[in-house]
Amino acid sequence: MYLYYLHGYCKFAIFALYLKVLLFYEVQSLELLGKYDEAIEKGNILRNRETNYKILILLSECYYLNMQEEQARFVLWSGIENGIQNVEIYQLYAEYNKDYNNVIAEEYINEALIYSNYDADVMKWAMNFLYSIGKSDKASELLFELKSFGKIEGMREISFKEAKELIEQ
């Protein structure tokens, strides 16, 4: 008798998981079709059932594309406040705060760097981001770190003459 109930519970759990996955793909499809209001509505249903970084990123993108930037930031911030630690969340939260609050953006650039264990790709992203918000000194520090740890492939030192020739082209 116990196995009968266990079997029924397992079938229910698999069905519930299937519905979440299906709803996630539906929200993605609605986003791609530009139906942001509907995607947001269904994305919030999904977020109420389960919260993970993929759901938060998808929902925040829908809000952002629907010109609801404050709500997009809030979705990510609430995930961070609830203990979700993810490089992509930190990066997106920094990006969404770029034109809103550079101090917050810079804080989450640092979080992304730390959480990624100073991954070369994240460092390159951070370097470009910092440069774009006028923090060229910090961007230069990251470039120096990348070079000193040998994390930059394909970059080489060039002479002043070579740099001048590149500029003149």
Side-chain angles (χ1 to χ4, degrees):
M1 188 67 159
Y2 174 73
L3 289 177
Y4 176 77
Y5 289 118
L6 182 61
H7 178 72
Y9 176 77
C10 288
K11 286 171 74 175
F12 176 75
I14 290 170
F15 182 71
L17 178 64
Y18 176 73
L19 286 178
K20 287 181 208 172
V21 170
L22 191 61
L23 188 55
F24 182 84
Y25 287 123
E26 184 179 4
V27 173
Q28 270 188 329
S29 299
L30 290 167
E31 177 193 18
L32 290 172
L33 292 170
K35 297 181 178 183
Y36 304 123
D37 289 326
E38 195 175 342
I40 288 167
E41 181 182 328
K42 291 182 187 265
N44 279 314
I45 291 169
L46 184 59
R47 182 175 66 161
N48 290 335
R49 290 182 183 172
E50 178 184 347
T51 302
N52 65 41
Y53 79 96
K54 289 181 181 181
I55 293 168
L56 294 177
I57 288 171
L58 179 60
L59 184 57
S60 70
E61 286 175 347
C62 291
Y63 275 117
Y64 192 82
L65 292 169
N66 202 34
M67 303 302 192
Q68 296 175 324
E69 294 174 19
E70 188 173 329
Q71 193 62 31
R73 284 191 300 271
F74 178 76
V75 166
L76 296 174
W77 178 81
S78 66
I80 292 167
E81 286 294 303
N82 287 320
I84 293 180
Q85 297 177 322
N86 178 273
V87 175
E88 293 173 64
I89 292 278
Y90 296 146
Q91 288 177 305
L92 200 54
Y93 192 62
E95 293 283 351
Y96 288 172
N97 278 287
K98 183 178 182 177
D99 296 327
Y100 178 70
N101 187 330
N102 282 345
V103 174
I104 292 173
E106 196 171 344
E107 176 185 343
Y108 283 92
I109 290 169
N110 291 329
E111 290 292 327
L113 287 167
I114 292 166
Y115 196 75
S116 74
N117 200 25
Y118 290 85
D119 174 76
D121 290 332
V122 177
M123 289 178 79
K124 290 173 192 173
W125 165 82
M127 186 178 65
N128 288 324
F129 190 96
L130 287 165
Y131 184 76
S132 75
I133 62 172
K135 302 285 184 173
S136 56
D137 53 332
K138 291 187 179 184
S140 295
E141 289 174 20
L142 280 177
L143 178 60
F144 179 76
E145 285 181 44
L146 279 166
K147 289 168 91 177
S148 66
F149 293 126
K151 291 186 175 183
I152 296 183
E153 297 175 16
M155 287 192 73
R156 63 179 181 89
E157 300 271 337
I158 61 172
S159 69
F160 179 74
K161 181 181 174 188
E162 289 174 307
K164 184 177 176 192
E165 288 172 0
L166 285 171
I167 292 170
E168 290 175 352
Q169 288 180 353

